[in-house]
Amino acid sequence: MGGAAALGIGDITLLTGVLIAGALVVTYTLRLGAPPWPTTPRAARVLLSTLPDSMDGDILELGCGWGGLALALAARYPHRRVLGVELSPVPWSVARMRVLAGRVGNLEVRRTDLHRVDLSHAGLIVCYLQGSAMARLAERAVREAPPGCWLVSNTFALPGLTPVARHPVGDVFGTTILVYRIHGGDGDPADLA
Ligand SMILES: C[S@@+](CC[C@H](N)C(=O)[O-])C[C@H]1O[C@@H](n2cnc3c(N)ncnc32)[C@H](O)[C@@H]1O
């Protein structure tokens, strides 16, 4: 009997689902110019260690992918509201399911364009984006984010802004965590510890 004939209806449904999901991931990667590549556990550890213990305002993860880093932020700040936004439907669905499965009450994952998110109440913005998305975010952050808002980026710099700290992760990719404060502030919490 041939391989295709041996497939049951369940296998074919699963295979079709995987192919559609893969096609959607590729389509959105091309459209957004960013793959849903997650922050590695090692980079996440360094990133989390650079964050202040407290701050005013909302915590935003812009382009939260599969939700791993957003979940870690929600765990790090259990009494704060964390908003993760993601436009690519497959990673967004997975992130939503992880929040529901983990019953994470302080994390909302919304399917929306990060460039439409209100930054005016942000206390901490976390991102791992590249190219034009970083340029747009830098412009908006300067215009809209409150003074003292933290912005922490995995690898990619915000054009026109100077980081208050750079933390090399020490991995083979040369990953660096960049820490910014919008309109000044007291500097890097890791230096203050
Ligand atoms: C490199 S991944 C980072 C994922 C996650 N932040 C992390 O660090 O593990 C970048 C994510 O940003 C999302 N993204 C890019 N542009 C976006 C936009 N305009 N609106 C919403 N999400 C966007 C991509 O779909 C992708 O999942």
Side-chain angles (χ1 to χ4, degrees), residues 16-30:
T16 308
V18 168
L19 288 175
I20 291 172
L24 276 172
V25 168
V26 172
T27 304
Y28 272 84
T29 294
L30 296 174

Side-chain angles (χ1 to χ4, degrees), residues 35 49-50 56 71 78 84 86 116 120 139 148 151 172 184:
S49 76
T50 70
D56 295 325
L71 285 163
E86 174 58 54
R116 292 173 177 271
S120 65
E139 269 178 36
L151 202 154
V172 290

Side-chain angles (χ1 to χ4, degrees), residues 17-70:
V18 168
L19 288 175
I20 291 172
L24 276 172
V25 168
V26 172
T27 304
Y28 272 84
T29 294
L30 296 174
R31 180 179 153 193
L32 299 172
W37 185 259
T39 292
T40 63
R42 185 168 175 166
R45 272 197 300 279
V46 173
L47 188 151
L48 291 168
S49 76
T50 70
L51 299 180
D53 287 333
S54 64
M55 88 289 293
D56 295 325
D58 294 336
I59 298 169
L60 308 177
E61 214 232 315
L62 300 182
C64 67
W66 312 95
L69 191 56

